[in-house]
Amino acid sequence: MRIKILYFASARDIVGKRGEMLSSDARTVNELADRLRRLHPGLKSLDKATRYAVNLEIVDGGAVLHEGDEVGVIPAVTGG
Amino acid sequence: MVRITSRRIDVSKILADVSDPAAGGTVVFIGTVRNHHLGKEVEGLEYEAYSRMADAKLKEIEEEARRIWPIKQISIVHRKGHLRVGEVSVVVAVSTEHRAEAFEAGRFTIETLKRTVPIWKRETTPDGKTGWVEGNPIERPKVIARRRTRGLG
């Protein structure tokens, strides 16, 4: 299954790129997050406040992923 | 109208957008870049947005506000890119028949924006150092609206 990952703000700084395409057998967002932390160990420092958006919606960790989904890695927000 | 923009925000244009013959009051919140944060001098802020999602979330906030208050016109505009001290980063403008709803809806809109829209800011200090400002985990606009309706927030 191919998933498009987008990194923002501090997550982008840690990973060193804006995004990547991943071939992944992760079925849920939690499984994908585990995979991302193994790929980019620095992301662990953001764990507590990081949330995941699938196709522009914030989802829970149990949300099921589908081929072609866009997953945004969303660190704590500071708009305003 | 709601949007994320990399251009300078024209406040008078937004005021014109929310004018409405049936409105008796308009409340405008203007967020500007402050010259200090947590005791440190700040030279400017770099705003980054997940623009497609941020646009969608601004629309949701507008829908929630319209569901709660009888709003005539509402405009929410947030800037992205590099801003210097004093520049306008965000404007919320709401017009309603009576002032109480305009104040309440305006307050709800800016507070909900800060917690639900994927936007981040990085400070630049005079010595050239930069750092992401600490924030809170993103939430959903509906959740905040529901909490408010129940009198919990």
Side-chain angles (χ1 to χ4, degrees):
Chain A
M1 185 161 66
R2 284 171 63 78
I3 305 283
K4 181 183 181 185
I5 317 285
L6 297 176
Y7 300 102
F8 295 95
S10 47
R12 175 167 47 76
D13 283 353
I14 287 166
V15 172
K17 51 188 167 188
R18 290 181 178 280
E20 58 191 333
M21 288 297 296
L22 276 191
S23 279
S24 161
D25 53 7
R27 284 162 306 170
T28 64
V29 167
N30 274 340
E31 289 178 24
L32 179 70
D34 283 343
R35 167 92 194 275
L36 294 180
R37 282 189 291 261
R38 282 198 302 275
L39 271 174
H40 310 289
L43 288 175
K44 285 180 194 149
S45 65
L46 303 177
D47 263 3
K48 266 194 181 152
T50 297
R51 299 290 180 269
Y52 296 86
V54 176
N55 303 327
L56 311 184
E57 286 295 336
I58 296 295
V59 295
D60 297 326
V64 174
L65 293 169
H66 300 95
E67 168 74 25
D69 278 350
E70 175 178 304
V71 177
V73 179
I74 313 284
V77 292
T78 50
Chain B
M1 195 232 306
V2 306
R3 73 195 147 89
I4 304 291
T5 179
S6 36
R7 300 215 180 129
R8 196 180 68 83
I9 296 176
D10 183 344
V11 178
S12 56
K13 165 133 191 351
I14 294 171
L15 280 179
D17 287 345
V18 298
S19 91
D20 188 302
T26 300
V27 163
V28 185
F29 173 79
I30 303 172
T32 52
V33 176
R34 190 174 49 220
N35 69 359
H36 64 280
H37 180 57
L38 302 175
K40 279 183 311 188
E41 197 180 336
V42 171
E43 205 169 69
L45 290 176
E46 177 83 27
Y47 281 87
E48 175 178 332
Y50 185 177
S51 294
R52 283 173 295 127
M53 182 174 167
D55 270 327
K57 293 297 138 186
L58 291 180
K59 286 196 185 80
E60 275 182 49
I61 296 171
E62 172 182 353
E63 282 162 21
E64 292 299 324
R66 284 185 181 279
R67 225 167 32 77
I68 302 172
W69 293 279
I71 290 171
K72 295 300 173 193
Q73 305 290 336
I74 179 168
S75 187
I76 318 169
V77 181
H78 202 297
R79 183 87 184 267
K80 64 178 178 178
H82 185 77
L83 277 73
R84 284 165 304 185
V85 168
E87 279 195 271
V88 175
S89 58
V90 60
V91 175
V92 169
V94 188
S95 61
T96 58
E97 231 174 283
H98 303 289
R99 68 186 178 283
E101 299 96 294
F103 276 108
E104 284 177 20
R107 181 76 194 265
F108 166 85
T109 300
I110 185 63
E111 301 299 340
T112 306
L113 179 156
K114 287 175 90 78
R115 290 152 67 176
T116 66
V117 181
I119 297 175
W120 301 268
K121 55 189 166 217
R122 176 156 47 183
E123 296 172 342
T124 309
T125 52
D127 55 12
K129 283 188 186 147
T130 66
W132 295 103
V133 175
E134 268 192 49
N136 294 304
I138 195 168
E139 296 183 85
R140 303 181 184 97
K142 264 190 179 46
V143 172
I144 291 180
R146 218 176 290 145
R147 210 184 288 152
R148 188 201 171 279
T149 313
R150 290 184 193 147
L152 303 171

